[in-house]
Amino acid sequence: MKQRLQRLQQVWDVSPALFRRISYATLIFCAIIIVTGGIVRLTESGLGCPTWPDCTTGHFTASFNYHPMIEFVNRVVTFFAAVGMSVNAVFAFFRKPFRKDIMWLSLGLFAEVVAESVLGGITVLEKLAPPYVMAHFVLAIVVLWNSLVLYKHAISVGGKAKPVVGKEAVWLGRLMFLNLGAVIVVGTAVAGTGPYSGSPISSRLPFNLRQVAYLHADFAIILVALILANLFLLHQARAPEVVQRRARLLLWMGAIQAIIGYTTYFSGLPAVLIGIHIAGATLTWIAMTWYYLSLFHVSREARGEVGAPESKVSSLPGPSYAS
C-alpha cells in the first residue's frame, strides 16, 4: 500500500500554490456555512427539508418554496465545503514537497466534516432539539478553526513555530481564546432558549432567557477586558507591530459585537440583528485564531518558488513576522 501511494505521488504533483488555493476556498465555505446555518434558524427553515440526506422522501432537491429552498441552499453550501475538505485530504498526500503537518490537519478536517454531516442528520431527525443544534454550531466553529490553521500551514514553510512574544502574552492569548469559546458556547444556549428555534415545532431549553443572556454578556465583558490587558502587555513588551495590529483589530471586533449584542437584546431580539451578530461572531473567531497564530513565527513560502523543496524556500525578511 505504501509503495502504491509513493508511485501515485510520483505521477500526481500537487503544487503548494494549488493547495493554498484549495485550502483558502475551503476556509471561505466553512465561514459561510455558519452564517447560512444562522439564516436557516432565524427563518425557521430548519425542517424545510424534513429528512436527510434527501430533502423530502424520495427527493434530493427541495421544492421551490421559501423554507425548503433556504434549508436546501444551506445544504448545498455544506456540500461544497465538504468537497473542499475532501480534496484537501487527498491533495495533502500528493503535495510536493510532502508535509506531515498539512496531512494531519487535512485528515482532521475531513473527519470533522464527516462528524458534522452525521450530527446534522441527527439534528434534523431529532426535530432540531436545542442540544443537537448547539453541538452542531460548536462543531462548525471547530471546523472553521481547523480550516484556518490548515490555511496558515499551507502558506508557511514547514518547521516548528517559534514565539515572537513572551510567555505571558502567549498564555494570555490562550486565556482569551478559551474565553471567546465560552462566549460562543453560552451564546448557543441563548439561541436555544430564545424565540428562534429553527422550526415552529422545535423545543426550547428550560432556562430563563434574561439570565442566560446576562451570562453571555458577562463573558463578553471579560473578553474585552482581557484584550485590553493584552494590548497593554504587548505595548509594554514592544511586541511586533503585526501582533499589536491584530490585537487592536480584535478589540474593535469585540467592542462592535458587544454593541450589536446589547442592541439586539434591548430592541426585542430582531432576527436581522441576530443574523449580524452571528456573522460578527464568525469574524471574531477568525480574528482571534489569526491573532493567536501571529504570536508564532513561521516563514511564508516564496511565491516564486512554487513546488520547490522546503529547504530552498526563502523566509520573509525583517522584524515584521508577517504571516
Side-chain angles (χ1 to χ4, degrees):
M1 182 66 181
K2 185 177 181 180
Q3 292 178 347
R4 183 179 299 178
L5 179 60
Q6 289 176 344
R7 286 197 297 268
L8 285 173
Q9 288 175 330
Q10 292 174 357
V11 175
W12 197 3
D13 185 358
V14 175
S15 68
L18 176 58
F19 192 89
R20 277 197 298 267
R21 289 192 288 269
I22 297 296
S23 61
Y24 182 72
T26 303
L27 169 63
I28 297 300
F29 277 111
C30 287
I32 293 174
I33 285 173
I34 297 175
V35 178
T36 58
I39 293 173
V40 168
R41 179 171 62 82
L42 294 171
T43 58
E44 295 192 337
S45 302
L47 296 179
C49 292
T51 62
W52 186 89
D54 289 341
C55 183
T56 57
T57 304
H59 297 280
F60 179 75
T61 59
S63 60
F64 198 72
N65 292 310
Y66 180 68
H67 293 303
M69 284 304 299
I70 290 178
E71 167 60 13
F72 185 70
V73 167
N74 181 56
R75 291 189 180 191
V76 170
V77 174
T78 304
F79 170 78
F80 280 112
V83 169
M85 296 176 203
S86 301
V87 171
N88 274 324
V90 174
F91 278 18
F93 287 94
F94 300 100
R95 180 187 182 275
K96 292 184 179 179
F98 175 77
R99 296 246 307 266
K100 284 187 177 180
D101 57 335
I102 287 178
M103 179 196 70
W104 287 118
L105 285 167
S106 298
L107 290 177
L109 196 59
F110 178 75
E112 289 162 6
V113 74
V114 171
E116 186 78 319
S117 299
V118 173
L119 182 56
I122 295 173
T123 303
V124 171
L125 297 177
E126 292 293 331
K127 307 303 180 185
L128 305 186
Y132 293 98
V133 176
M134 293 166 63
H136 196 46
F137 184 88
V138 171
L139 184 54
I141 287 292
V142 174
V143 170
L144 179 59
W145 166 83
N146 194 343
S147 64
L148 187 56
V149 175
L150 175 62
Y151 176 68
K152 168 69 174 180
H153 280 245
I155 65 174
S156 303
V157 172
K160 187 176 181 180
K162 298 179 180 179
V164 298
V165 295
K167 292 182 179 179
E168 298 83 1
V170 172
W171 278 105
L172 188 53
R174 292 170 182 169
L175 184 59
M176 289 160 51
F177 222 135
L178 289 173
N179 187 266
L180 178 57
V183 172
I184 291 173
V185 171
V186 177
T188 64
V190 175
T193 308
Y196 300 101
S197 61
S199 173
I201 68 172
S202 300
S203 60
R204 299 281 75 201
L205 292 174
F207 301 142
N208 181 285
L209 178 59
R210 180 176 181 178
Q211 292 178 352
V212 179
Y214 279 15
L215 180 61
H216 178 61
D218 289 341
F219 275 113
I221 292 171
I222 294 172
L223 177 62
V224 172
L226 288 173
I227 297 173
L228 282 170
N230 184 57
L231 274 170
F232 178 77
L233 178 62
L234 294 175
H235 178 73
Q236 291 298 107
R238 300 178 182 271
E241 176 57 29
V242 65
V243 176
Q244 297 192 51
R245 185 171 63 249
R246 291 179 183 177
R248 289 193 295 269
L249 174 62
L250 194 55
L251 176 64
W252 277 107
M253 297 192 71
I256 291 172
Q257 271 294 88
I259 292 171
I260 295 173
Y262 277 103
T263 303
T264 301
Y265 181 79
F266 289 109
S267 60
L269 304 178
V272 173
L273 286 181
I274 294 176
I276 295 174
H277 199 50
I278 293 172
T282 304
L283 293 175
T284 303
W285 181 252
I286 291 174
M288 178 66 79
T289 305
W290 205 242
Y291 162 75
Y292 184 76
L293 292 173
S294 72
L295 300 181
F296 304 89
H297 173 44
V298 180
S299 301
R300 206 171 198 177
E301 285 185 338
R303 298 287 178 169
E305 299 184 38
V306 173
E310 300 280 354
S311 59
K312 294 183 179 180
V313 178
S314 62
S315 61
L316 288 178
S320 65
Y321 301 97
S323 56

